[in-house]
Amino acid sequence: MSRVRTAVLISGRGSNMDALIRAAQDPAYPAEIVLVVANNPDAGGLAKAAAEGIETAAIDHRPFGKDRESHERMIDARLRQSGVELVALAGYMRVLTPFLVRAWAGRMLNIHPSLLPLYPGLHTHERAIASGDAFCGCTVHYVTEGVDEGPILGQASVAITPGDTPDDLALRVLTLEHRLYPDCLAKAAEAVRGP
């Protein structure tokens, strides 16, 4: 069985990346993590991935200034150099340009800490509490040009209890993310691999 060559894009510590790497350590898992790319050379997840024997690349966005597409062209070239077939954004804190979204259309996933279509963008837990919601959660979706608007692969939810702070919710939702993302990446890999 061939496994789908997958890259993970990160900006920070890479806790969702860790969950994907752990899942992919099972030889029966349909995706193989072959590359981790960070836009921040100091991202803690780079060292974690390297310690697992995974190839890493730091492609700092800062030297590119406002030229986001040129930065993404460097990322795209690196993905293709490694024979990547599927891309998972895991705490990648950059809004993508149409160039990269189109280059990987149908083969790029993201995880978002809300029950989309509720609360795209930032401050999701604060917004859920302020709205008086009974539940919050996370969503894995395909990346499209609209922020957090792509087709949904899966969701998981947790109850919001009286007195919850945004930090409380963030911790509980992160636990859900670490279970949901590997399941959804497996589904996406099976779709790429085909019958």
Side-chain angles (χ1 to χ4, degrees):
M1 173 183 81
S2 66
R3 301 171 75 200
V4 175
R5 294 176 63 83
T6 302
V8 182
L9 271 56
I10 63 170
S11 293
R13 69 183 190 271
S15 74
N16 271 307
M17 173 205 73
D18 278 341
L20 298 178
I21 289 172
R22 281 195 305 276
Q25 287 170 340
D26 178 349
Y29 191 75
E32 175 187 10
I33 310 299
V34 297
L35 176 67
V36 171
V37 178
N39 66 301
N40 170 12
D42 299 321
L46 289 171
K48 291 179 190 174
E52 296 291 339
I54 296 168
E55 195 176 340
T56 64
I59 303 174
D60 192 344
H61 66 275
R62 289 168 288 200
F64 294 88
K66 294 188 185 302
D67 188 357
R68 299 167 78 86
E69 185 175 315
S70 289
H71 176 245
E72 290 177 2
R73 285 185 180 279
M74 294 281 293
I75 291 172
D76 182 63
R78 189 66 185 78
L79 296 172
R80 293 181 191 283
Q81 179 187 341
S82 293
V84 168
E85 302 167 274
L86 187 61
V87 178
L89 306 180
Y92 189 70
M93 302 305 290
R94 307 262 307 155
V95 175
L96 301 179
T97 71
F99 163 74
L100 198 63
V101 173
R102 290 173 188 161
W104 292 91
R107 295 181 296 141
M108 182 182 286
L109 315 179
N110 185 41
I111 188 155
H112 182 72
S114 80
L115 295 171
L116 292 173
L118 294 175
Y119 315 124
L122 301 174
H123 310 296
T124 58
H125 306 306
E126 292 91 330
R127 290 155 69 194
I129 290 170
S131 295
D133 294 352
F135 293 92
C136 66
C138 54
T139 304
V140 176
H141 63 93
Y142 283 104
V143 176
T144 58
E145 291 184 42
V147 175
D148 299 324
E149 290 181 358
I152 292 172
L153 275 111
Q155 292 184 311
S157 63
V158 65
I160 299 174
T161 58
D164 271 339
T165 67
D167 288 344
D168 296 334
L169 292 185
L171 282 172
R172 293 209 306 278
V173 169
L174 192 61
T175 301
L176 294 177
E177 291 178 23
H178 294 167
R179 291 197 301 263
L180 180 67
Y181 210 173
D183 290 347
C184 291
L185 178 61
K187 282 187 215 171
E190 295 283 8
V192 168
R193 191 167 62 183

